[in-house]
Amino acid sequence: MTAHETDKYVYDFAEGNKDLKDLLGGKGANLAEMTNLGLPVPPGFTITTGACQAYLATGREPDGLAGQIEAHLQALEREMGRRLGDPDDPLLVSVRSGARFSMPGMMETVLNVGLNDRSVVGLARQAGGSAGPTASGGNADPTASGGNDRFAWDSYRRLIQMFGKTVCEVPGEEFEHALDEAKRAKGTHDDLDLDADDLRGLVETYKKIFAEHTGREFPQEPREQLDLAIRAVFESWNAERAILYRRQERIPADLGTAVNVVAMVFGNLGPDSGTGVAFTRDPGSGAQGIYGDYLANAQGEDVVAGIRNTVPLQELEQLDKTSYDQLLDIMARLEGHYQDLCDIEFTIERGKLWMLQTRVGKRTAAAAFVIAGQLVDEGLIDLDEALHRVNGAQLAQLMFPRFQLDHDVPPVARGIGASPGAASGAVVFTSARAVELAAEGKAVILVRRETNPDDLNGMIAAQGILTSRGGKTSHAAVVARGMGKTCVSGADEIEVNVPAKRFTVGGRTVSEGDVVSIDGTTGKVYLGEVPVVPSEVVQYFEGSLDPAHVDNALVRAVHRIMTHADARRRLAVRTNADTGADAARARRFGAEGIGLCRTEHMFLGDRRELVERLILAATDTDRTDALAALLPLQRQDFVEIFCEMAGLPVTVRLIDPPLHEFLPPLEQLAVNVAVAQERGEDVAKEEALLAAVRRMHEENPMLGLRGVRLGLVIPGLFAMQVRAIAEAAVAVTRDGGAACPEIMVPLVGAVQELETVRAEAEKIIAEVVGDSGVEVLIGTMIEVPRAALTAGQIAEAAQFFSFGTNDLTQMGWGFSRDDVEGAFFWRYLELGIFGISPFESIDRDGVGRLIRIAAEEGRAARPGLKLGVCGEHGGDPDSVHFFHEVGLDYVSCSPFRVPVARLEAGRAAIETTGSDSR
Ligand code: PEP
Ligand code: MG
């Protein structure tokens, strides 16, 4: 006995079950399951993914595989009462791939294995009789058996074609040309007009093509055909298209495919035969009923090729009531058994129904929720299972308005779908114009090369944002996602000319006021209006659709599943919000506080000038004047937010502006000064400004004077903010509200930085708060790797940590947030260095490790230390699961992602082994 004889590589269908997908692939596991349910599955066996892995690792079949195939083949032959390739009554088999995850059309299939020059005659004879496939009589003259003689030769030419192309890499066009040639000679366009003689001639031509390209004759030995076909399926795992598909779908590269060897059944034996596909519910809407297509006298590949039009499955009832009733019965059983929507493929061979495949079917986002709700109603699954079966990406899709499905406007450009949804409106090129037109009640689309913080008002006013540069985490993308606003970024076919108020695309010019439509899911840009429908799910979250009173299956299902997610989740969900309006909306969406209020956003627009004065102040008086002017404005900002978030924690982050965003651009200022000097104007003030901007200019502003560093350098800045926060909290509380402020210090890398700020802050707080009962916490962001690595020390001075995963990713990888995505991430994604941008979904191994260390050491130093996250990752479904796992207390994300985070936090709580909703 060799060591390998103990490895089992081949399973009869009767030996497997649906839970063995890792071993038998999806198709094999489900064929086994149906076999064991007693459903009519053509007999066969599955060669395991393990055999494929071994083959791919060594370039040869593992020991013992050939013998196991032989044994299973013999059993199959006994069961069918036929031998593979028998000249009188041949058994034919199909050889089909089937991996753990469905990879539609990516890998190979070879049908009709077992046909050769002799068995084609036997097949014709067997198929010619009307007594069914096992009849042994029939006409000895193959040319005399009419349509079914034709069938045998057609099957043979299909084998040579598929085998040649798949197994021996003969160019597929060669066969297609020969087929076209045969039809031309016959004066027809239809394969069905070719008769047995034509097809016999075609087989000869095909064999010549085969020999020319491979240097050998088409193999006549059935077992050799089978072995080569199995090997080709193994190898198709590493075909280029399969590799690309896996990368895109994030399917691991080392799984390998299983191979199913199945007795052939034929749907093309005449009008009492046929083939079809069906769903047990509508995969589009989730509605109950039978959805499917049927094609009489055809094989599955004809349906895919669209050679003839299918008919709705219901018509099968007239054609073959027995098979139809049996099919409905089987579909009901499968649904009950899998407790989910199933899709199936079947064939009817001369009135006998065969099931060729089933699996839990793919569905739209809406159908996923509706079906999960229905199955709970039907008592098939419980609410935990319903929650497991939907996901945040689906919910996010349902929260955006969308274009009507059947519009026929062609796209003119395509960029990155940066923030989903659909928007139409008049083109504007400046923030000011967007605000102006929106005030007149017009829908506008803000078009820019790229946006910056000064475009904020325009972005708020616009229906959507279109940029010609930038990726998924460009300013436009991040801010738009935060606002739940549609955005297409990086549409580089578009040439934007802001001064001329127009853009050009594909030779066409679009001017201010012209209407465009953008689809933030697909990244497509259209000229003119495309009709839009609003999201009912948002109307529900906003409170304008009451699930108890609307007859809307989707809204009711979402309500039910969200309620359950809330009951299950351990993570709290807060929001990132800088205005009262955002806070109010987030609260309606279920936010349980604010996890990040970015105060630098409060210094844009009119107040920008005050900040500029502050930063550039030449004297103490200049500075204190600017601070005094800012204090009441800030206080009012906080009053508004505390009122909206009454009773809930509000984390206010002290100012963290990258300086370059607040100072006038150096080059522009230099040009202005030079021009003014040329004209002989008095430019003393501008010159002083220019000198100051030069002095403060930084090569790497993201790594420069920002965050706590700025607070320590500009006296009084943080103090003013702390005072504004404390005064606002006291004012709101005195008015009967309940303010729960948490002051957060940004960009801390050393505990001494935090201690310095904290000492000053505590003095001010004690002075302002007095006996008002207001309690103010002081904590820090953890967004510099050094902070994560010294979290034990920092926790001594911090009442809470909030992970700033945007900066932590930037500094952990050394990737400039502003530059790298557009510059080279496409190449990294292509090379598979990462499957998704680490700015979008948390890098568990690297940045995630920093978070783990900080959480552990922080809590060790200060038990009960409150931990949250407020970077973009707080609203990313996969990342939410990670934050659950590492034991954070809350995630904080933009208002529109709050429901997504609630749902995923609920899913994380019920799933111990991560999400598997592919
Ligand atoms: C972060 O760095 O993750 C963060 C939340 O701060 P900002 O994005 O404002 O730098
Ligand atoms: Mg940051």
Side-chain angles (χ1 to χ4, degrees), residues 576 596 598 600 653 656 706 781 783 803-808 817 870-872:
N576 295 358
L596 174 62
R598 287 182 168 101
E600 62 277 11
R653 183 177 73 184
D656 175 19
R706 51 177 288 225
M781 305 261 315
E783 53 186 344
F803 291 96
T805 47
N806 303 332
D807 272 308
L808 205 53
R817 281 162 74 169
C870 62
E872 273 293 294

Side-chain angles (χ1 to χ4, degrees), residues 594-633:
I594 289 182
L596 174 62
C597 169
R598 287 182 168 101
T599 53
E600 62 277 11
H601 288 176
M602 298 167 166
F603 294 120
L604 296 169
D606 306 345
R607 304 182 193 175
R608 199 187 163 90
E609 200 206 333
L610 283 172
V611 179
E612 201 175 295
R613 256 171 59 197
L614 177 69
I615 296 172
L616 300 175
T619 65
D620 283 353
T621 327
D622 287 353
R623 193 178 52 249
T624 39
D625 284 358
L627 286 170
L630 281 166
L631 177 68
L633 302 173

Side-chain angles (χ1 to χ4, degrees), residues 7-78:
D7 287 340
K8 183 168 167 64
Y9 291 119
V10 185
Y11 286 70
D12 190 86
F13 288 167
E15 294 176 287
N17 67 61
K18 70 175 173 23
D19 300 323
L20 295 180
K21 287 203 189 81
D22 285 339
L23 188 67
L24 304 177
K27 190 190 296 256
N30 288 322
L31 282 169
E33 188 77 10
M34 288 200 290
T35 301
N36 291 325
L37 283 173
L39 302 184
V41 175
F45 53 86
T46 304
I47 301 162
T48 64
T49 53
C52 176
Q53 289 158 11
Y55 175 83
L56 293 176
T58 61
R60 60 180 193 81
E61 284 79 1
D63 292 345
L65 177 60
Q68 292 181 33
I69 292 176
E70 186 58 35
H72 282 267
L73 184 59
Q74 282 177 12
L76 179 62
E77 289 177 335
R78 276 196 301 278

Side-chain angles (χ1 to χ4, degrees), residues 449-468:
R449 269 160 62 88
E450 52 199 346
T451 59
N452 63 49
D454 272 343
D455 290 321
L456 206 62
N457 286 334
M459 295 173 80
I460 292 168
Q463 295 299 113
I465 296 118
L466 169 60
T467 69
S468 60

